Amino acid sequence: MTLERVGRDSVDVGQGLAVLSNILAEQGRNGEATRVAEASMRAYLEAGAAEFSLNLARARQFMGAALSAQGRHAEAVEVFERNRDILKRDPELLQKYGVGHPEWVISLLQTGKPQAAERMAATMLAWSVSRFGDDNPRAALRRALVGVARVEQGDAAGARQLFEASVPILLAQARDDAESETGSLRKQRYLVFVLEAWLRALATTGDAAAAEEAFRIADIARGSMVQRALTAAAARSAASESGASADTELSGMARQEQDAQRRLNGLSALLTQLLAAPPGEQLPQVQEALRRDIAAAMNERDALRKAIAERFPDYAGLVRPQPATLAATRAVLRPGEALLAFYVSERESYVWAAAPTGAPHFSRVPLGREEVAGTVRQLRRALDAGVDSIDALPPFDLAAAHALYARFVAPAADVWRGAATLVVVPHGDLAQLPLSLLPTATATHGSGEPPFAGYRQVPWLLRTHAVQQLPSAT
């Protein structure tokens, strides 16, 4: 309708495209978000907007954020810095759109500028604390980004303190978002970025406590916490719809708790909008009323959660689950079983191995997400060949398969070798490859008839161990 009314090159079209770009970015559709942001900027410029106008400042910020989310970090930094330089003539716009953004911090980190990233994140943190309070999710994210910058500078101990203060707030937000269906892929990506930095910090320590903590963080980062939050939402829905007399009290309390959370989300969103508005439009009296309403909604929600936990502990355990721990996972292993758990991050991977008795194993593998994905794709060509005849099947790459075994499985052999069954918790692309197909030693295909006879002598892991694959450790 706007295109028909005012034409393509107008401020109205530019504003609509800018909003659409931000929505696409929240949904994780980053390539589309970048293209729409570019179109928004063209519409503004062709409509005669000044370079230092509010509309173009916002559009450039959206553009930089979309580029960062795509992994085009050098380009993102260039766009953010250009926006900052243009806005220096307008201090108010500079403060709002030109001095910091989470994606700008991430791009600085990804382009090898951790000191600049820390300065920016610290400035953003101070501003967020002054506006939203110390325990607000916005402040928590910025504190966590300072922690990521510390990790990149080798300060694992300092980073851990920052993560311990911020990550619980981010996790609570993620759980509430998942339960109330108000989350976004952008928020999830930020959380995983922080958690993977925490894993890197823990991996440098190498002690038993770090292994336990890393296992818990990896369980969260795998997404199982979000999945369990969705399960919790389904449980709440089922409880709310139950007509059985025994469930009447639970269903009523569950419905009230869900309503309180939704009301809290709505009030918090309104307060955030006011705090981000220009000084003359912030309505201090309305803010104070909103803060009182938020505190009341939070108290109501927390009181309901406490009452539910006391009256219905099994239900409470389902809807407010805790991440898996290595100790608890070991406790449920049966004699003859051993656990192998993996996490594949952007830069490197991690391995945990544990048996019912004895010391667990924790190690890092210098292979990141793209490298692991490439190897798995290569190996799956022989499994998903899509050919018309057996003779056309490509050979299974035994060398690449054994290399994966040597990297991910062999280093923990002292823990799992004596087991009969391996309970495997894969992650990422590793879940697309049966662990039983990894050779435990170098091997060749050999030759012979009938087809595949050359594989008879390959020392597959399946020859010595049964493999049971699970989606998570819980």
Side-chain angles (χ1 to χ4, degrees):
M1 295 293 292
T2 301
L3 281 172
E4 294 176 0
R5 180 168 55 85
V6 299
R8 183 177 300 276
D9 303 328
S10 70
V11 171
D12 286 348
V13 169
Q15 289 174 338
L17 291 172
V19 171
L20 177 59
S21 172
N22 197 42
I23 291 172
L24 291 170
E26 290 287 346
Q27 296 174 344
R29 298 160 63 181
N30 299 309
E32 296 171 82
T34 301
R35 292 191 292 274
V36 173
E38 289 173 338
S40 171
M41 290 171 63
R42 284 197 302 271
Y44 285 138
L45 289 171
E46 292 173 9
E51 282 277 9
F52 54 89
S53 66
L54 168 64
N55 286 327
L56 270 170
R58 292 177 69 236
R60 281 189 295 266
Q61 188 181 73
F62 291 159
M63 178 72 172
L67 287 168
S68 173
Q70 278 189 282
R72 297 162 63 180
H73 297 293
E75 296 173 71
V77 170
E78 184 177 346
V79 170
F80 281 126
E81 290 181 346
R82 181 169 180 267
N83 202 34
R84 177 197 60 200
D85 294 342
I86 290 172
L87 296 178
K88 285 180 178 177
R89 67 177 68 187
D90 188 327
E92 184 176 324
L93 281 182
L94 177 65
Q95 176 63 36
K96 192 168 184 180
Y97 295 107
V99 297
H101 188 283
E103 295 286 4
W104 193 350
V105 174
I106 290 171
S107 286
L108 287 170
L109 289 166
Q110 299 286 42
T111 52
K113 303 178 181 69
Q115 295 90 350
E118 181 178 353
R119 288 193 298 271
M120 181 176 292
T123 300
M124 293 165 61
L125 171 60
W127 186 87
S128 294
V129 169
S130 69
R131 285 292 187 96
F132 306 112
D134 196 57
D135 57 353
N136 183 273
R138 290 171 65 97
L141 174 60
R142 284 142 183 81
R143 182 175 288 107
L145 290 175
V146 175
V148 178
R150 294 279 181 86
V151 173
E152 295 301 300
Q153 296 174 78
D155 182 10
R160 186 168 182 172
Q161 291 181 348
L162 291 163
F163 292 145
E164 288 173 348
S166 58
V167 168
I169 298 172
L170 297 177
L171 291 179
Q173 180 192 41
R175 280 192 293 262
D176 291 340
D177 284 346
E179 293 168 13
S180 57
E181 300 181 356
T182 57
S184 70
L185 289 178
R186 175 184 281 174
K187 287 182 183 178
Q188 291 180 31
R189 183 167 52 83
Y190 288 165
L191 178 58
V192 170
F193 182 77
V194 169
L195 293 175
E196 291 188 354
W198 196 350
L199 279 174
R200 290 198 301 277
L202 290 167
T204 62
T205 306
D207 57 28
E212 176 72 48
E213 181 70 1
F215 187 85
R216 186 181 72 87
I217 296 302
D219 184 62
I220 298 168
R222 283 189 192 95
S224 60
M225 286 295 289
V226 173
Q227 291 302 316
R228 281 177 285 176
L230 294 173
T231 300
R236 282 188 173 90
S237 177
S240 298
E241 295 171 3
S242 173
S245 58
D247 295 332
T248 300
E249 183 182 4
L250 172 59
S251 64
M253 295 174 72
R255 190 182 305 112
Q256 292 174 42
E257 187 251 347
Q258 196 169 24
D259 290 344
Q261 181 60 54
R262 288 172 176 165
R263 185 162 60 254
L264 179 59
N265 289 344
L267 292 169
S268 297
L270 286 173
L271 180 59
T272 297
Q273 291 175 12
L274 284 178
L275 289 168
E281 302 174 14
Q282 290 185 3
L283 306 177
Q285 292 182 337
V286 175
Q287 286 187 37
E288 287 304 314
L290 283 171
R291 286 191 174 94
R292 288 194 296 271
D293 291 344
I294 287 171
M298 189 176 297
N299 288 337
E300 179 186 358
R301 181 203 62 186
D302 292 346
L304 285 164
R305 286 179 176 174
K306 181 179 180 181
I308 290 171
E310 292 173 350
R311 293 280 293 112
F312 306 98
D314 291 341
Y315 173 82
L318 175 62
V319 299
R320 305 298 295 178
Q322 298 300 311
T325 66
L326 190 54
T329 304
R330 293 179 68 193
V332 299
L333 290 173
R334 293 173 291 190
E337 290 183 338
L339 171 75
L340 271 174
F342 307 103
Y343 185 85
V344 182
S345 77
E346 181 182 12
R347 299 187 191 178
E348 58 190 18
S349 302
Y350 307 93
V351 180
W352 294 262
T357 60
H361 167 93
F362 173 50
S363 61
R364 62 202 299 182
V365 179
L367 294 176
R369 200 167 286 136
E370 290 187 7
E371 296 159 298
V372 171
T375 300
V376 171
R377 282 196 302 269
Q378 180 181 347
L379 292 171
R380 287 208 64 90
R381 290 193 185 103
L383 307 178
D384 305 316
V387 297
D388 297 328
S389 68
I390 290 178
D391 292 336
L393 279 172
F396 187 72
D397 192 334
L398 293 172
H402 177 63
L404 275 185
Y405 172 86
R407 292 276 199 176
F408 285 90
V409 183
D414 288 346
V415 173
W416 59 260
R417 186 180 289 115
T421 300
L422 301 182
V423 179
V424 177
V425 180
H427 177 244
D429 286 274
L430 286 179
Q432 305 303 314
L433 185 71
L435 204 70
S436 54
L437 289 182
L438 300 184
T440 59
T442 57
T444 59
H445 299 94
S447 60
E449 293 293 340
F452 308 115
Y455 290 108
R456 286 175 178 166
Q457 304 305 314
V458 174
W460 307 109
L461 181 60
L462 186 60
R463 293 185 186 276
T464 58
H465 291 77
V467 176
Q468 179 184 4
Q469 185 165 308
L470 300 177
S472 75
T474 53

